[in-house]
Amino acid sequence: MHEEREGYLEHLETLVEQHRARLEELLHACGPGTRAASRGWYPDSETRWRR
């Protein structure tokens, strides 16, 4: 198990740096305090909101 954890943090940091703009967009659209978060809505495969 320890071997699986080696490099994991670096992998996540790299992933965040590569996708920072999209992650910020998702956080703004779906993060805490948003309508989607407060009502439990999730995007479907067409990225339209459904309940």
Side-chain angles (χ1 to χ4, degrees):
M1 185 83 155
H2 181 68
E3 295 82 25
E4 293 177 9
R5 293 181 186 175
E6 289 181 21
Y8 186 68
L9 182 57
E10 291 81 9
H11 173 73
L12 289 178
E13 290 172 340
T14 301
L15 185 71
V16 167
E17 288 306 316
Q18 291 173 348
H19 300 282
R20 182 172 297 280
R22 178 66 176 140
L23 292 169
E24 289 175 352
E25 179 183 312
L26 287 170
L27 181 62
H28 179 72
C30 307
T34 64
R35 182 176 175 190
S38 65
R39 301 194 80 183
W41 292 15
Y42 302 93
D44 63 14
S45 60
E46 297 176 2
T47 65
R48 294 184 180 164
W49 293 103
R50 63 182 168 90
R51 192 167 187 201

mmCIF file of all heavy atoms in Angstrom:
data_model
loop_
_atom_site.group_PDB
_atom_site.id
_atom_site.type_symbol
_atom_site.label_atom_id
_atom_site.label_comp_id
_atom_site.label_asym_id
_atom_site.label_seq_id
_atom_site.Cartn_x
_atom_site.Cartn_y
_atom_site.Cartn_z
ATOM 1 N N MET A 1 0.823 -1.199 0.000
ATOM 2 C CA MET A 1 0.000 0.000 0.000
ATOM 3 C C MET A 1 0.863 1.258 0.000
ATOM 4 O O MET A 1 0.541 2.220 -0.661
ATOM 5 C CB MET A 1 -0.935 -0.035 1.219
ATOM 6 C CG MET A 1 -1.904 1.101 1.246
ATOM 7 S SD MET A 1 -3.306 0.716 0.200
ATOM 8 C CE MET A 1 -4.525 1.719 0.928
ATOM 9 N N HIS A 2 1.941 1.240 0.758
ATOM 10 C CA HIS A 2 2.811 2.411 0.821
ATOM 11 C C HIS A 2 3.372 2.750 -0.555
ATOM 12 O O HIS A 2 3.490 3.930 -0.903
ATOM 13 C CB HIS A 2 3.949 2.170 1.816
ATOM 14 C CG HIS A 2 4.874 3.335 1.942
ATOM 15 N ND1 HIS A 2 4.478 4.523 2.510
ATOM 16 C CD2 HIS A 2 6.153 3.513 1.544
ATOM 17 C CE1 HIS A 2 5.489 5.379 2.458
ATOM 18 N NE2 HIS A 2 6.510 4.787 1.881
ATOM 19 N N GLU A 3 3.673 1.741 -1.356
ATOM 20 C CA GLU A 3 4.214 1.994 -2.688
ATOM 21 C C GLU A 3 3.210 2.744 -3.559
ATOM 22 O O GLU A 3 3.581 3.558 -4.390
ATOM 23 C CB GLU A 3 4.615 0.676 -3.375
ATOM 24 C CG GLU A 3 5.759 -0.054 -2.704
ATOM 25 C CD GLU A 3 5.306 -0.880 -1.507
ATOM 26 O OE1 GLU A 3 4.124 -1.278 -1.451
ATOM 27 O OE2 GLU A 3 6.130 -1.097 -0.610
ATOM 28 N N GLU A 4 1.913 2.444 -3.371
ATOM 29 C CA GLU A 4 0.878 3.112 -4.152
ATOM 30 C C GLU A 4 0.786 4.593 -3.795
ATOM 31 O O GLU A 4 0.399 5.406 -4.620
ATOM 32 C CB GLU A 4 -0.473 2.442 -3.913
ATOM 33 C CG GLU A 4 -0.548 1.031 -4.445
ATOM 34 C CD GLU A 4 -1.874 0.370 -4.123
ATOM 35 O OE1 GLU A 4 -2.790 1.046 -3.634
ATOM 36 O OE2 GLU A 4 -1.978 -0.850 -4.358
ATOM 37 N N ARG A 5 1.125 4.947 -2.574
ATOM 38 C CA ARG A 5 1.021 6.333 -2.121
ATOM 39 C C ARG A 5 2.203 7.178 -2.575
ATOM 40 O O ARG A 5 2.087 8.393 -2.637
ATOM 41 C CB ARG A 5 0.924 6.376 -0.601
ATOM 42 C CG ARG A 5 -0.360 5.784 -0.084
ATOM 43 C CD ARG A 5 -0.425 5.868 1.400
ATOM 44 N NE ARG A 5 -1.591 5.169 1.900
ATOM 45 C CZ ARG A 5 -1.850 4.994 3.171
ATOM 46 N NH1 ARG A 5 -1.024 5.451 4.087
ATOM 47 N NH2 ARG A 5 -2.928 4.355 3.558
ATOM 48 N N GLU A 6 3.312 6.546 -2.867
ATOM 49 C CA GLU A 6 4.489 7.301 -3.293
ATOM 50 C C GLU A 6 4.180 8.028 -4.593
ATOM 51 O O GLU A 6 3.704 7.452 -5.548
ATOM 52 C CB GLU A 6 5.685 6.368 -3.480
ATOM 53 C CG GLU A 6 6.224 5.826 -2.184
ATOM 54 C CD GLU A 6 7.421 4.926 -2.387
ATOM 55 O OE1 GLU A 6 8.078 5.026 -3.435
ATOM 56 O OE2 GLU A 6 7.680 4.125 -1.487
ATOM 57 N N GLY A 7 4.420 9.302 -4.610
ATOM 58 C CA GLY A 7 4.187 10.105 -5.801
ATOM 59 C C GLY A 7 2.748 10.558 -5.980
ATOM 60 O O GLY A 7 2.446 11.304 -6.903
ATOM 61 N N TYR A 8 1.864 10.123 -5.087
ATOM 62 C CA TYR A 8 0.442 10.467 -5.250
ATOM 63 C C TYR A 8 0.206 11.963 -5.101
ATOM 64 O O TYR A 8 -0.503 12.569 -5.908
ATOM 65 C CB TYR A 8 -0.393 9.678 -4.238
ATOM 66 C CG TYR A 8 -1.878 9.863 -4.415
ATOM 67 C CD1 TYR A 8 -2.527 9.350 -5.539
ATOM 68 C CD2 TYR A 8 -2.630 10.562 -3.475
ATOM 69 C CE1 TYR A 8 -3.890 9.518 -5.708
ATOM 70 C CE2 TYR A 8 -3.997 10.737 -3.642
ATOM 71 C CZ TYR A 8 -4.622 10.207 -4.755
ATOM 72 O OH TYR A 8 -5.968 10.384 -4.932
ATOM 73 N N LEU A 9 0.801 12.578 -4.103
ATOM 74 C CA LEU A 9 0.625 14.011 -3.891
ATOM 75 C C LEU A 9 1.154 14.797 -5.085
ATOM 76 O O LEU A 9 0.492 15.720 -5.573
ATOM 77 C CB LEU A 9 1.324 14.460 -2.606
ATOM 78 C CG LEU A 9 1.188 15.928 -2.244
ATOM 79 C CD1 LEU A 9 -0.279 16.327 -2.121
ATOM 80 C CD2 LEU A 9 1.919 16.219 -0.952
ATOM 81 N N GLU A 10 2.305 14.418 -5.569
ATOM 82 C CA GLU A 10 2.870 15.097 -6.741
ATOM 83 C C GLU A 10 1.957 14.923 -7.951
ATOM 84 O O GLU A 10 1.777 15.844 -8.750
ATOM 85 C CB GLU A 10 4.269 14.570 -7.046
ATOM 86 C CG GLU A 10 5.305 14.950 -6.007
ATOM 87 C CD GLU A 10 5.295 14.055 -4.777
ATOM 88 O OE1 GLU A 10 4.599 13.011 -4.768
ATOM 89 O OE2 GLU A 10 5.976 14.415 -3.801
ATOM 90 N N HIS A 11 1.375 13.737 -8.078
ATOM 91 C CA HIS A 11 0.456 13.482 -9.186
ATOM 92 C C HIS A 11 -0.760 14.408 -9.090
ATOM 93 O O HIS A 11 -1.179 14.998 -10.093
ATOM 94 C CB HIS A 11 0.017 12.013 -9.175
ATOM 95 C CG HIS A 11 -1.040 11.698 -10.170
ATOM 96 N ND1 HIS A 11 -0.792 11.624 -11.529
ATOM 97 C CD2 HIS A 11 -2.366 11.456 -10.024
ATOM 98 C CE1 HIS A 11 -1.912 11.349 -12.162
ATOM 99 N NE2 HIS A 11 -2.880 11.236 -11.270
ATOM 100 N N LEU A 12 -1.328 14.544 -7.890
ATOM 101 C CA LEU A 12 -2.479 15.425 -7.711
ATOM 102 C C LEU A 12 -2.125 16.882 -7.977
ATOM 103 O O LEU A 12 -2.899 17.608 -8.605
ATOM 104 C CB LEU A 12 -3.044 15.283 -6.297
ATOM 105 C CG LEU A 12 -3.762 13.986 -5.983
ATOM 106 C CD1 LEU A 12 -4.216 13.983 -4.535
ATOM 107 C CD2 LEU A 12 -4.943 13.767 -6.907
ATOM 108 N N GLU A 13 -0.963 17.309 -7.512
ATOM 109 C CA GLU A 13 -0.535 18.682 -7.750
ATOM 110 C C GLU A 13 -0.392 18.956 -9.247
ATOM 111 O O GLU A 13 -0.811 20.007 -9.746
ATOM 112 C CB GLU A 13 0.769 18.965 -7.023
ATOM 113 C CG GLU A 13 0.609 19.024 -5.514
ATOM 114 C CD GLU A 13 1.934 19.106 -4.782
ATOM 115 O OE1 GLU A 13 2.977 18.743 -5.364
ATOM 116 O OE2 GLU A 13 1.917 19.539 -3.612
ATOM 117 N N THR A 14 0.177 18.026 -9.964
ATOM 118 C CA THR A 14 0.332 18.163 -11.409
ATOM 119 C C THR A 14 -1.024 18.214 -12.099
ATOM 120 O O THR A 14 -1.263 19.043 -12.977
ATOM 121 C CB THR A 14 1.168 16.996 -11.979
ATOM 122 O OG1 THR A 14 2.445 17.007 -11.351
ATOM 123 C CG2 THR A 14 1.333 17.111 -13.477
ATOM 124 N N LEU A 15 -1.918 17.344 -11.673
ATOM 125 C CA LEU A 15 -3.265 17.307 -12.238
ATOM 126 C C LEU A 15 -3.983 18.637 -12.028
ATOM 127 O O LEU A 15 -4.599 19.175 -12.954
ATOM 128 C CB LEU A 15 -4.061 16.165 -11.599
ATOM 129 C CG LEU A 15 -5.446 15.915 -12.159
ATOM 130 C CD1 LEU A 15 -5.353 15.316 -13.552
ATOM 131 C CD2 LEU A 15 -6.219 14.986 -11.241
ATOM 132 N N VAL A 16 -3.886 19.187 -10.835
ATOM 133 C CA VAL A 16 -4.529 20.467 -10.537
ATOM 134 C C VAL A 16 -3.939 21.574 -11.398
ATOM 135 O O VAL A 16 -4.668 22.399 -11.958
ATOM 136 C CB VAL A 16 -4.413 20.809 -9.039
ATOM 137 C CG1 VAL A 16 -4.793 22.255 -8.775
ATOM 138 C CG2 VAL A 16 -5.275 19.868 -8.212
ATOM 139 N N GLU A 17 -2.628 21.608 -11.513
ATOM 140 C CA GLU A 17 -1.999 22.652 -12.325
ATOM 141 C C GLU A 17 -2.429 22.546 -13.783
ATOM 142 O O GLU A 17 -2.666 23.562 -14.432
ATOM 143 C CB GLU A 17 -0.473 22.583 -12.199
ATOM 144 C CG GLU A 17 0.028 23.054 -10.852
ATOM 145 C CD GLU A 17 -0.456 24.451 -10.481
ATOM 146 O OE1 GLU A 17 -0.435 25.359 -11.336
ATOM 147 O OE2 GLU A 17 -0.883 24.639 -9.333
ATOM 148 N N GLN A 18 -2.559 21.336 -14.291
ATOM 149 C CA GLN A 18 -2.948 21.149 -15.689
ATOM 150 C C GLN A 18 -4.397 21.536 -15.939
ATOM 151 O O GLN A 18 -4.756 21.924 -17.047
ATOM 152 C CB GLN A 18 -2.731 19.689 -16.111
ATOM 153 C CG GLN A 18 -1.289 19.287 -16.191
ATOM 154 C CD GLN A 18 -1.120 17.803 -16.454
ATOM 155 O OE1 GLN A 18 -2.062 17.022 -16.375
ATOM 156 N NE2 GLN A 18 0.107 17.406 -16.764
ATOM 157 N N HIS A 19 -5.234 21.418 -14.928
ATOM 158 C CA HIS A 19 -6.672 21.627 -15.110
ATOM 159 C C HIS A 19 -7.230 22.722 -14.202
ATOM 160 O O HIS A 19 -8.430 22.776 -13.960
ATOM 161 C CB HIS A 19 -7.415 20.309 -14.846
ATOM 162 C CG HIS A 19 -6.993 19.208 -15.751
ATOM 163 N ND1 HIS A 19 -7.425 19.101 -17.054
ATOM 164 C CD2 HIS A 19 -6.137 18.177 -15.549
ATOM 165 C CE1 HIS A 19 -6.865 18.045 -17.612
ATOM 166 N NE2 HIS A 19 -6.085 17.472 -16.724
ATOM 167 N N ARG A 20 -6.382 23.609 -13.740
ATOM 168 C CA ARG A 20 -6.793 24.635 -12.778
ATOM 169 C C ARG A 20 -7.980 25.464 -13.274
ATOM 170 O O ARG A 20 -8.938 25.689 -12.532
ATOM 171 C CB ARG A 20 -5.630 25.562 -12.432
ATOM 172 C CG ARG A 20 -6.007 26.623 -11.400
ATOM 173 C CD ARG A 20 -4.826 27.418 -10.911
ATOM 174 N NE ARG A 20 -3.845 26.617 -10.228
ATOM 175 C CZ ARG A 20 -3.930 26.217 -8.959
ATOM 176 N NH1 ARG A 20 -4.983 26.546 -8.243
ATOM 177 N NH2 ARG A 20 -2.974 25.502 -8.409
ATOM 178 N N ALA A 21 -7.963 25.922 -14.492
ATOM 179 C CA ALA A 21 -9.045 26.776 -14.997
ATOM 180 C C ALA A 21 -10.383 26.041 -14.949
ATOM 181 O O ALA A 21 -11.392 26.599 -14.510
ATOM 182 C CB ALA A 21 -8.739 27.239 -16.412
ATOM 183 N N ARG A 22 -10.404 24.800 -15.380
ATOM 184 C CA ARG A 22 -11.654 24.023 -15.373
ATOM 185 C C ARG A 22 -12.104 23.732 -13.939
ATOM 186 O O ARG A 22 -13.292 23.801 -13.630
ATOM 187 C CB ARG A 22 -11.461 22.720 -16.140
ATOM 188 C CG ARG A 22 -12.679 21.832 -16.159
ATOM 189 C CD ARG A 22 -13.827 22.453 -16.939
ATOM 190 N NE ARG A 22 -14.935 21.515 -17.002
ATOM 191 C CZ ARG A 22 -16.204 21.856 -16.884
ATOM 192 N NH1 ARG A 22 -16.530 23.112 -16.741
ATOM 193 N NH2 ARG A 22 -17.138 20.949 -16.926
ATOM 194 N N LEU A 23 -11.179 23.424 -13.059
ATOM 195 C CA LEU A 23 -11.531 23.166 -11.666
ATOM 196 C C LEU A 23 -12.114 24.413 -11.008
ATOM 197 O O LEU A 23 -13.094 24.328 -10.264
ATOM 198 C CB LEU A 23 -10.308 22.668 -10.889
ATOM 199 C CG LEU A 23 -9.797 21.285 -11.282
ATOM 200 C CD1 LEU A 23 -8.446 21.018 -10.635
ATOM 201 C CD2 LEU A 23 -10.805 20.210 -10.907
ATOM 202 N N GLU A 24 -11.547 25.576 -11.302
ATOM 203 C CA GLU A 24 -12.085 26.820 -10.754
ATOM 204 C C GLU A 24 -13.483 27.095 -11.298
ATOM 205 O O GLU A 24 -14.368 27.541 -10.562
ATOM 206 C CB GLU A 24 -11.145 27.980 -11.058
ATOM 207 C CG GLU A 24 -9.864 27.922 -10.255
ATOM 208 C CD GLU A 24 -8.868 29.006 -10.622
ATOM 209 O OE1 GLU A 24 -9.089 29.741 -11.608
ATOM 210 O OE2 GLU A 24 -7.845 29.113 -9.914
ATOM 211 N N GLU A 25 -13.684 26.800 -12.576
ATOM 212 C CA GLU A 25 -14.997 26.976 -13.188
ATOM 213 C C GLU A 25 -16.030 26.058 -12.517
ATOM 214 O O GLU A 25 -17.148 26.482 -12.200
ATOM 215 C CB GLU A 25 -14.898 26.646 -14.682
ATOM 216 C CG GLU A 25 -16.178 26.757 -15.447
ATOM 217 C CD GLU A 25 -15.981 26.347 -16.898
ATOM 218 O OE1 GLU A 25 -15.016 26.807 -17.537
ATOM 219 O OE2 GLU A 25 -16.801 25.556 -17.379
ATOM 220 N N LEU A 26 -15.656 24.816 -12.298
ATOM 221 C CA LEU A 26 -16.569 23.878 -11.638
ATOM 222 C C LEU A 26 -16.866 24.287 -10.202
ATOM 223 O O LEU A 26 -18.011 24.189 -9.748
ATOM 224 C CB LEU A 26 -15.976 22.464 -11.666
ATOM 225 C CG LEU A 26 -15.987 21.770 -13.019
ATOM 226 C CD1 LEU A 26 -15.153 20.493 -12.969
ATOM 227 C CD2 LEU A 26 -17.406 21.461 -13.437
ATOM 228 N N LEU A 27 -15.862 24.736 -9.497
ATOM 229 C CA LEU A 27 -16.058 25.176 -8.121
ATOM 230 C C LEU A 27 -17.016 26.361 -8.067
ATOM 231 O O LEU A 27 -17.913 26.420 -7.233
ATOM 232 C CB LEU A 27 -14.721 25.543 -7.474
ATOM 233 C CG LEU A 27 -14.785 25.989 -6.021
ATOM 234 C CD1 LEU A 27 -15.326 24.873 -5.138
ATOM 235 C CD2 LEU A 27 -13.422 26.422 -5.543
ATOM 236 N N HIS A 28 -16.830 27.294 -8.993
ATOM 237 C CA HIS A 28 -17.706 28.462 -9.042
ATOM 238 C C HIS A 28 -19.146 28.060 -9.376
ATOM 239 O O HIS A 28 -20.097 28.585 -8.809
ATOM 240 C CB HIS A 28 -17.185 29.466 -10.077
ATOM 241 C CG HIS A 28 -18.039 30.678 -10.210
ATOM 242 N ND1 HIS A 28 -18.108 31.662 -9.240
ATOM 243 C CD2 HIS A 28 -18.878 31.073 -11.196
ATOM 244 C CE1 HIS A 28 -18.957 32.596 -9.631
ATOM 245 N NE2 HIS A 28 -19.429 32.264 -10.809
ATOM 246 N N ALA A 29 -19.310 27.104 -10.271
ATOM 247 C CA ALA A 29 -20.642 26.689 -10.714
ATOM 248 C C ALA A 29 -21.319 25.722 -9.748
ATOM 249 O O ALA A 29 -22.542 25.750 -9.600
ATOM 250 C CB ALA A 29 -20.548 26.043 -12.092
ATOM 251 N N CYS A 30 -20.536 24.873 -9.090
ATOM 252 C CA CYS A 30 -21.125 23.772 -8.324
ATOM 253 C C CYS A 30 -20.666 23.693 -6.884
ATOM 254 O O CYS A 30 -21.061 22.784 -6.161
ATOM 255 C CB CYS A 30 -20.786 22.444 -8.994
ATOM 256 S SG CYS A 30 -21.199 22.361 -10.725
ATOM 257 N N GLY A 31 -19.813 24.588 -6.463
ATOM 258 C CA GLY A 31 -19.221 24.508 -5.142
ATOM 259 C C GLY A 31 -20.159 24.916 -4.023
ATOM 260 O O GLY A 31 -21.339 25.210 -4.245
ATOM 261 N N PRO A 32 -19.646 24.947 -2.809
ATOM 262 C CA PRO A 32 -20.441 25.296 -1.639
ATOM 263 C C PRO A 32 -21.152 26.629 -1.810
ATOM 264 O O PRO A 32 -20.587 27.592 -2.327
ATOM 265 C CB PRO A 32 -19.403 25.390 -0.513
ATOM 266 C CG PRO A 32 -18.261 24.552 -0.977
ATOM 267 C CD PRO A 32 -18.248 24.679 -2.473
ATOM 268 N N GLY A 33 -22.410 26.655 -1.411
ATOM 269 C CA GLY A 33 -23.196 27.872 -1.495
ATOM 270 C C GLY A 33 -23.918 28.078 -2.808
ATOM 271 O O GLY A 33 -24.729 28.988 -2.937
ATOM 272 N N THR A 34 -23.640 27.245 -3.798
ATOM 273 C CA THR A 34 -24.325 27.391 -5.084
ATOM 274 C C THR A 34 -25.659 26.661 -5.047
ATOM 275 O O THR A 34 -25.909 25.805 -4.206
ATOM 276 C CB THR A 34 -23.482 26.826 -6.242
ATOM 277 O OG1 THR A 34 -23.316 25.421 -6.044
ATOM 278 C CG2 THR A 34 -22.128 27.511 -6.340
ATOM 279 N N ARG A 35 -26.505 26.995 -5.976
ATOM 280 C CA ARG A 35 -27.810 26.334 -6.065
ATOM 281 C C ARG A 35 -27.638 24.830 -6.262
ATOM 282 O O ARG A 35 -28.350 24.034 -5.650
ATOM 283 C CB ARG A 35 -28.593 26.943 -7.221
ATOM 284 C CG ARG A 35 -29.965 26.380 -7.383
ATOM 285 C CD ARG A 35 -30.697 27.102 -8.489
ATOM 286 N NE ARG A 35 -31.977 26.451 -8.707
ATOM 287 C CZ ARG A 35 -32.765 26.704 -9.716
ATOM 288 N NH1 ARG A 35 -32.413 27.603 -10.611
ATOM 289 N NH2 ARG A 35 -33.905 26.082 -9.848
ATOM 290 N N ALA A 36 -26.723 24.444 -7.117
ATOM 291 C CA ALA A 36 -26.498 23.019 -7.373
ATOM 292 C C ALA A 36 -26.094 22.283 -6.100
ATOM 293 O O ALA A 36 -26.586 21.192 -5.813
ATOM 294 C CB ALA A 36 -25.431 22.833 -8.440
ATOM 295 N N ALA A 37 -25.231 22.880 -5.313
ATOM 296 C CA ALA A 37 -24.767 22.237 -4.085
ATOM 297 C C ALA A 37 -25.876 22.187 -3.033
ATOM 298 O O ALA A 37 -26.048 21.178 -2.345
ATOM 299 C CB ALA A 37 -23.557 22.967 -3.524
ATOM 300 N N SER A 38 -26.639 23.247 -2.928
ATOM 301 C CA SER A 38 -27.655 23.296 -1.887
ATOM 302 C C SER A 38 -28.868 22.422 -2.192
ATOM 303 O O SER A 38 -29.557 21.987 -1.293
ATOM 304 C CB SER A 38 -28.107 24.738 -1.649
ATOM 305 O OG SER A 38 -28.757 25.245 -2.790
ATOM 306 N N ARG A 39 -29.102 22.134 -3.458
ATOM 307 C CA ARG A 39 -30.272 21.345 -3.824
ATOM 308 C C ARG A 39 -29.923 19.929 -4.232
ATOM 309 O O ARG A 39 -30.805 19.147 -4.554
ATOM 310 C CB ARG A 39 -31.023 22.041 -4.956
ATOM 311 C CG ARG A 39 -31.444 23.447 -4.491
ATOM 312 C CD ARG A 39 -32.429 24.046 -5.373
ATOM 313 N NE ARG A 39 -33.737 23.484 -5.054
ATOM 314 C CZ ARG A 39 -34.822 23.784 -5.712
ATOM 315 N NH1 ARG A 39 -34.761 24.623 -6.720
ATOM 316 N NH2 ARG A 39 -35.981 23.265 -5.390
ATOM 317 N N GLY A 40 -28.639 19.605 -4.284
ATOM 318 C CA GLY A 40 -28.247 18.245 -4.628
ATOM 319 C C GLY A 40 -28.417 17.907 -6.090
ATOM 320 O O GLY A 40 -28.788 16.805 -6.441
ATOM 321 N N TRP A 41 -28.168 18.852 -6.958
ATOM 322 C CA TRP A 41 -28.289 18.613 -8.389
ATOM 323 C C TRP A 41 -26.952 18.156 -8.938
ATOM 324 O O TRP A 41 -25.902 18.577 -8.489
ATOM 325 C CB TRP A 41 -28.715 19.876 -9.117
ATOM 326 C CG TRP A 41 -30.113 20.305 -8.804
ATOM 327 C CD1 TRP A 41 -30.901 19.877 -7.778
ATOM 328 C CD2 TRP A 41 -30.874 21.263 -9.523
ATOM 329 N NE1 TRP A 41 -32.107 20.512 -7.824
ATOM 330 C CE2 TRP A 41 -32.126 21.359 -8.871
ATOM 331 C CE3 TRP A 41 -30.630 22.033 -10.627
ATOM 332 C CZ2 TRP A 41 -33.124 22.206 -9.321
ATOM 333 C CZ3 TRP A 41 -31.624 22.886 -11.069
ATOM 334 C CH2 TRP A 41 -32.860 22.965 -10.426
ATOM 335 N N TYR A 42 -27.013 17.330 -9.959
ATOM 336 C CA TYR A 42 -25.800 16.801 -10.585
ATOM 337 C C TYR A 42 -25.957 16.895 -12.092
ATOM 338 O O TYR A 42 -27.038 16.661 -12.625
ATOM 339 C CB TYR A 42 -25.579 15.342 -10.187
ATOM 340 C CG TYR A 42 -25.471 15.178 -8.704
ATOM 341 C CD1 TYR A 42 -26.583 14.871 -7.939
ATOM 342 C CD2 TYR A 42 -24.259 15.386 -8.066
ATOM 343 C CE1 TYR A 42 -26.483 14.741 -6.565
ATOM 344 C CE2 TYR A 42 -24.154 15.261 -6.697
ATOM 345 C CZ TYR A 42 -25.269 14.938 -5.958
ATOM 346 O OH TYR A 42 -25.164 14.823 -4.606
ATOM 347 N N PRO A 43 -24.886 17.211 -12.798
ATOM 348 C CA PRO A 43 -24.990 17.288 -14.264
ATOM 349 C C PRO A 43 -25.142 15.899 -14.862
ATOM 350 O O PRO A 43 -24.536 14.948 -14.397
ATOM 351 C CB PRO A 43 -23.667 17.927 -14.682
ATOM 352 C CG PRO A 43 -22.738 17.604 -13.575
ATOM 353 C CD PRO A 43 -23.573 17.531 -12.319
ATOM 354 N N ASP A 44 -25.971 15.799 -15.886
ATOM 355 C CA ASP A 44 -26.083 14.518 -16.576
ATOM 356 C C ASP A 44 -25.037 14.481 -17.686
ATOM 357 O O ASP A 44 -24.196 15.369 -17.792
ATOM 358 C CB ASP A 44 -27.493 14.300 -17.118
ATOM 359 C CG ASP A 44 -27.892 15.328 -18.177
ATOM 360 O OD1 ASP A 44 -27.031 16.053 -18.688
ATOM 361 O OD2 ASP A 44 -29.081 15.389 -18.474
ATOM 362 N N SER A 45 -25.094 13.487 -18.513
ATOM 363 C CA SER A 45 -24.052 13.309 -19.538
ATOM 364 C C SER A 45 -24.032 14.438 -20.566
ATOM 365 O O SER A 45 -23.037 14.622 -21.246
ATOM 366 C CB SER A 45 -24.228 11.970 -20.242
ATOM 367 O OG SER A 45 -25.493 11.921 -20.862
ATOM 368 N N GLU A 46 -25.112 15.189 -20.688
ATOM 369 C CA GLU A 46 -25.161 16.305 -21.635
ATOM 370 C C GLU A 46 -24.838 17.631 -20.954
ATOM 371 O O GLU A 46 -24.994 18.684 -21.545
ATOM 372 C CB GLU A 46 -26.540 16.380 -22.267
ATOM 373 C CG GLU A 46 -26.877 15.146 -23.075
ATOM 374 C CD GLU A 46 -28.304 15.202 -23.625
ATOM 375 O OE1 GLU A 46 -28.999 16.207 -23.412
ATOM 376 O OE2 GLU A 46 -28.700 14.233 -24.257
ATOM 377 N N THR A 47 -24.387 17.573 -19.717
ATOM 378 C CA THR A 47 -24.042 18.733 -18.884
ATOM 379 C C THR A 47 -25.216 19.691 -18.694
ATOM 380 O O THR A 47 -25.028 20.861 -18.458
ATOM 381 C CB THR A 47 -22.812 19.505 -19.385
ATOM 382 O OG1 THR A 47 -23.098 20.079 -20.656
ATOM 383 C CG2 THR A 47 -21.590 18.626 -19.453
ATOM 384 N N ARG A 48 -26.426 19.172 -18.801
ATOM 385 C CA ARG A 48 -27.603 19.951 -18.432
ATOM 386 C C ARG A 48 -27.992 19.502 -17.043
ATOM 387 O O ARG A 48 -27.859 18.347 -16.684
ATOM 388 C CB ARG A 48 -28.745 19.697 -19.405
ATOM 389 C CG ARG A 48 -28.429 20.217 -20.779
ATOM 390 C CD ARG A 48 -29.592 20.038 -21.687
ATOM 391 N NE ARG A 48 -29.228 20.559 -22.997
ATOM 392 C CZ ARG A 48 -29.911 20.282 -24.074
ATOM 393 N NH1 ARG A 48 -30.961 19.514 -24.032
ATOM 394 N NH2 ARG A 48 -29.518 20.784 -25.223
ATOM 395 N N TRP A 49 -28.520 20.419 -16.288
ATOM 396 C CA TRP A 49 -28.836 20.096 -14.895
ATOM 397 C C TRP A 49 -30.131 19.314 -14.803
ATOM 398 O O TRP A 49 -31.096 19.616 -15.455
ATOM 399 C CB TRP A 49 -28.929 21.361 -14.058
ATOM 400 C CG TRP A 49 -27.600 22.001 -13.953
ATOM 401 C CD1 TRP A 49 -27.166 23.093 -14.639
ATOM 402 C CD2 TRP A 49 -26.500 21.570 -13.162
ATOM 403 N NE1 TRP A 49 -25.867 23.365 -14.321
ATOM 404 C CE2 TRP A 49 -25.445 22.452 -13.418
ATOM 405 C CE3 TRP A 49 -26.311 20.530 -12.264
ATOM 406 C CZ2 TRP A 49 -24.197 22.330 -12.786
ATOM 407 C CZ3 TRP A 49 -25.082 20.397 -11.646
ATOM 408 C CH2 TRP A 49 -24.054 21.289 -11.908
ATOM 409 N N ARG A 50 -30.092 18.289 -13.993
ATOM 410 C CA ARG A 50 -31.295 17.511 -13.705
ATOM 411 C C ARG A 50 -31.332 17.247 -12.218
ATOM 412 O O ARG A 50 -30.326 17.312 -11.542
ATOM 413 C CB ARG A 50 -31.304 16.211 -14.487
ATOM 414 C CG ARG A 50 -30.175 15.266 -14.127
ATOM 415 C CD ARG A 50 -30.239 14.023 -14.985
ATOM 416 N NE ARG A 50 -29.023 13.256 -14.834
ATOM 417 C CZ ARG A 50 -28.847 12.310 -13.929
ATOM 418 N NH1 ARG A 50 -29.809 11.999 -13.092
ATOM 419 N NH2 ARG A 50 -27.721 11.653 -13.857
ATOM 420 N N ARG A 51 -32.471 16.957 -11.722
ATOM 421 C CA ARG A 51 -32.619 16.706 -10.295
ATOM 422 C C ARG A 51 -32.929 15.250 -10.055
ATOM 423 O O ARG A 51 -33.625 14.602 -10.727
ATOM 424 C CB ARG A 51 -33.721 17.569 -9.723
ATOM 425 C CG ARG A 51 -33.746 17.567 -8.255
ATOM 426 C CD ARG A 51 -34.632 18.646 -7.779
ATOM 427 N NE ARG A 51 -34.505 18.711 -6.338
ATOM 428 C CZ ARG A 51 -35.374 19.238 -5.559
ATOM 429 N NH1 ARG A 51 -36.453 19.776 -6.054
ATOM 430 N NH2 ARG A 51 -35.204 19.267 -4.281
#
